[in-house]
Amino acid sequence: MSGDALSQDPALLRGRIDTTKAHPARVYDVFLGGKDNYPVDRATAAAGLAANPRGYLDVRHNRDFLRRAVNTLAQDDGIRQFLDIGTGLPTAENVHQIAQRIIPDSRVVYVDNDPVVLTHARALLTSGPEGRTDYVDADFNNPAHILEQAAKTLDFDQPIALCLVAILHFVNDAEAYPIVRELIEALPSGSRLVLSHLTEDLNPENIRAVQRTYTERGFTFVLRTRAEVERFFTENSLELAEPGVVPVHRWRADNAAPVPEQPEASYLETLDAIEKVRYADINDVTDADINVYAGIGRKA
């Protein structure tokens, strides 16, 4: 286990946690049925769900895209290094678990700036015996620091999959495109960009309502068109893998999204809408439910 971040005093970490303001990683955790969140995060998630009652499908299918992407890259392309920025809180099937199941000596570096995520970093860092994982406590807006720290674990002479999954819609254009460019420029030939992003192209009324609930709570929340999402690939001369940038549930769907074990109906009836999300089967998704684009690009 490496990284100065992990040696920080727990009391100092707790002091960094702002429980009065929602954080994207913790709101995401709410939708995934996690417990590492605060009332302000649950209120934000509940407001988003009220605006778009099937909006949890965006979150859950986004997570399932990451599963399929890592499987594809490790199993089909032999990629054994992953840099996952904006990783969020640990949940089932983290990147290193998927990759190391296929390639046991895979290396994975997770990056996030939420102290709640940091306090759970040890759960993320339970690498397989042959592989390596690490956690970098850093902000997306400081790519030089991310790259410097990641180089302690990853070999930048060998291909790396850069995972920017559901993070860029929290970043304005003035920062998003230059930062992605700086990150990709540092990667060697054969590296990949794994990207997903919220959009208003598909179901504008629903996602604009969600956008309002988030911006009212102080979030930067940028909905980009397909062309604007594709720009992250094209302006960096990345070759898009088939089927290109598509709605997230259509990116190489394998119909293998796990179905949560169902509780007794009497218990389910006692839960509120946001608590029921963790038990929802996401395989009944339709195009009218999704507001996320996803794609993978390869650096020549």
Side-chain angles (χ1 to χ4, degrees):
M1 186 180 302
S2 61
D4 293 340
L6 291 180
S7 63
Q8 290 192 45
D9 186 290
L12 293 177
L13 287 176
R14 286 193 295 272
R16 283 176 51 192
I17 299 171
D18 184 354
T19 61
T20 67
K21 184 178 180 181
H23 189 283
R26 303 195 305 259
V27 175
Y28 197 72
D29 182 63
V30 175
F31 279 110
L32 292 175
K35 300 290 188 182
D36 300 303
N37 48 71
Y38 294 93
V40 66
D41 305 305
R42 292 189 286 275
T44 300
L49 194 66
N52 181 14
R54 284 173 67 80
Y56 65 89
L57 290 165
D58 280 334
V59 177
R60 295 272 299 279
H61 274 280
N62 180 74
R63 186 74 191 182
D64 201 57
F65 160 68
L66 181 62
R67 173 187 66 81
R68 300 194 306 275
V70 175
N71 265 320
T72 296
L73 293 178
Q75 188 166 289
D76 298 348
D77 300 339
I79 300 295
R80 57 184 64 227
Q81 298 192 109
F82 295 83
L83 176 56
D84 183 3
I85 301 179
T87 179
L89 286 143
T91 184
E93 292 291 85
N94 296 295
V95 170
H96 75 280
Q97 294 168 317
I98 302 168
Q100 291 176 2
R101 187 163 55 240
I102 299 166
I103 303 177
D105 64 351
S106 295
R107 298 182 177 194
V108 179
V109 172
Y110 296 102
V111 180
D112 211 299
N113 70 334
D114 181 14
V116 174
V117 177
L118 180 57
T119 61
H120 291 272
R122 288 181 176 82
L124 280 173
L125 292 173
T126 52
S127 175
E130 298 175 56
R132 287 187 64 188
T133 62
D134 201 358
Y135 179 90
V136 174
D137 178 23
D139 192 281
F140 181 72
N141 290 309
N142 192 350
H145 178 65
I146 291 172
L147 292 166
E148 178 187 9
Q149 295 301 311
K152 296 177 181 179
T153 300
L154 304 180
D155 179 359
F156 275 73
D157 291 327
Q158 299 297 322
I160 295 169
L162 170 64
C163 301
L164 301 178
V165 175
I167 180 176
L168 290 170
H169 43 252
F170 297 116
V171 187
N172 286 316
D173 285 353
E175 291 84 32
Y177 291 103
I179 290 172
V180 172
R181 187 182 313 118
E182 183 173 346
L183 290 168
I184 291 174
E185 284 177 350
L187 302 180
S189 174
S191 292
R192 304 316 199 263
L193 172 62
V194 179
L195 186 149
S196 65
H197 199 296
L198 282 169
T199 183
E200 61 182 353
D201 285 358
L202 305 173
N203 299 289
E205 185 176 345
N206 285 347
I207 196 63
R208 286 172 187 160
V210 173
Q211 183 185 41
R212 285 193 296 272
T213 68
Y214 279 67
T215 54
E216 286 167 359
R217 288 163 172 79
F219 283 80
T220 297
F221 205 83
V222 184
L223 302 173
R224 293 188 171 96
T225 65
R226 181 175 179 175
E228 289 168 334
V229 173
E230 288 177 339
R231 181 182 160 194
F232 288 110
F233 298 95
T234 57
E235 78 167 22
N236 292 296
S237 302
L238 302 180
E239 178 186 356
L240 274 166
E242 290 294 333
V245 172
V246 296
V248 68
H249 65 305
R250 295 189 175 278
W251 195 92
R252 302 192 187 183
D254 60 10
N255 300 312
V259 179
E261 184 176 345
Q262 297 300 298
E264 295 289 335
S266 57
Y267 171 74
L268 203 58
E269 290 172 1
T270 68
L271 303 180
D272 62 25
I274 201 67
E275 292 171 326
K276 289 178 181 177
V277 163
R278 77 187 67 170
Y279 300 110
D281 179 2
I282 67 171
N283 292 292
D284 66 343
V285 65
T286 70
D287 288 354
D289 295 317
I290 293 298
N291 303 280
V292 181
Y293 281 132
I296 291 182
R298 181 184 185 277
K299 183 174 181 178

